[in-house]
Amino acid sequence: MKHLLKAAFTLMAVVLCTAAFAQSTGAYLKYDLNGKTISHKNAELNAYNKFEPETEDEKAGNDHVLYVSYEVKVPYKLDIIIHTPPHAAPVVGKLPYVQTVVPKNGPCPSVHFSMTKTVGEEFEFYGSEDATAGNFEITKVAAGWVEGKFDIELPRQYSTNGEVLHITNGTFRFKIDKEMKD
């Protein structure tokens, strides 16, 4: 019995230490863009979880969003939107890239990437579309956090020149927030 209690306390200590470590590492977003590593830590990132009701053209579901804070002054700001079924959290697995909104016949879960590039006083916009080249995988969902990896060929929006950003070696981690209420 004494050994059983010792094992139980050891297991509890491991679980508590793991949870404490997970909380202390916080959110992050890291990727290579055209050969340059870009990294954002907890203080530069925000996240939210919002339910989107069904519309005439759009499927109902939740958007779990990780984005670089607007206060951070960097030339590239990447947003990740994970679309899930209504009132559901993200789950482990590979997800397809989609356009901004998920049409009624679109895949769910799925993911949308958007990036804003600042060029002087101007902005260039990039965003995933249906069948965008790349891979997105949620590798872990535990203790209220979601982690994953990605690479993507992100096409420029509102342009006919065919410009694409090559994003590789991407990793992320963020807290799954409670669902926002309107």
Side-chain angles (χ1 to χ4, degrees):
M1 183 68 169
K2 189 165 73 172
H3 295 294
L4 183 60
L5 283 173
K6 187 175 181 180
F9 282 121
T10 302
L11 181 60
M12 285 180 9
V14 167
V15 168
L16 289 174
C17 287
T18 301
F21 176 75
Q23 296 296 329
S24 69
T25 58
Y28 64 83
L29 175 62
K30 182 178 178 182
Y31 55 93
D32 293 339
L33 174 62
N34 297 333
K36 180 183 175 192
T37 299
I38 297 175
S39 182
H40 298 285
K41 299 282 184 187
N42 200 39
E44 298 178 328
L45 299 169
N46 291 312
Y48 66 87
N49 169 13
K50 186 168 190 313
F51 172 72
E52 297 291 343
E54 185 171 323
T55 66
E56 185 177 312
D57 301 320
E58 197 176 326
K59 186 181 285 192
N62 278 59
D63 289 341
H64 300 270
V65 181
L66 173 67
Y67 65 98
V68 178
S69 174
Y70 299 112
E71 290 84 29
V72 177
K73 302 298 181 209
V74 292
Y76 295 95
K77 291 190 179 183
L78 181 63
D79 300 348
I80 301 173
I81 304 170
I82 301 172
H83 303 289
T84 65
H87 315 295
V91 296
V92 171
K94 292 184 178 187
L95 304 181
Y97 287 112
V98 295
Q99 59 191 352
T100 306
V101 297
V102 180
K104 285 192 177 185
N105 63 347
C108 191
S110 58
V111 65
H112 173 74
F113 273 44
S114 65
M115 179 174 284
T116 304
K117 177 182 175 184
T118 305
V119 182
E121 298 293 318
E122 302 292 319
F123 299 101
E124 295 177 2
F125 302 99
Y126 297 81
S128 63
E129 300 168 347
D130 297 340
T132 294
N135 295 294
F136 181 88
E137 182 176 4
I138 295 174
T139 56
K140 183 176 181 181
V141 177
W145 291 82
V146 60
E147 298 179 27
K149 59 185 181 176
F150 59 91
D151 61 79
I152 185 170
E153 301 291 313
L154 203 56
R156 184 167 175 188
Q157 306 290 292
Y158 318 111
S159 174
T160 58
N161 70 2
E163 185 180 354
V164 172
L165 295 178
H166 306 281
I167 299 175
T168 59
N169 301 317
T171 58
F172 67 91
R173 180 176 197 273
F174 68 96
K175 184 153 184 60
I176 302 170
D177 282 348
K178 290 184 181 178
E179 189 174 293
M180 294 171 55
K181 303 290 183 204
D182 282 337

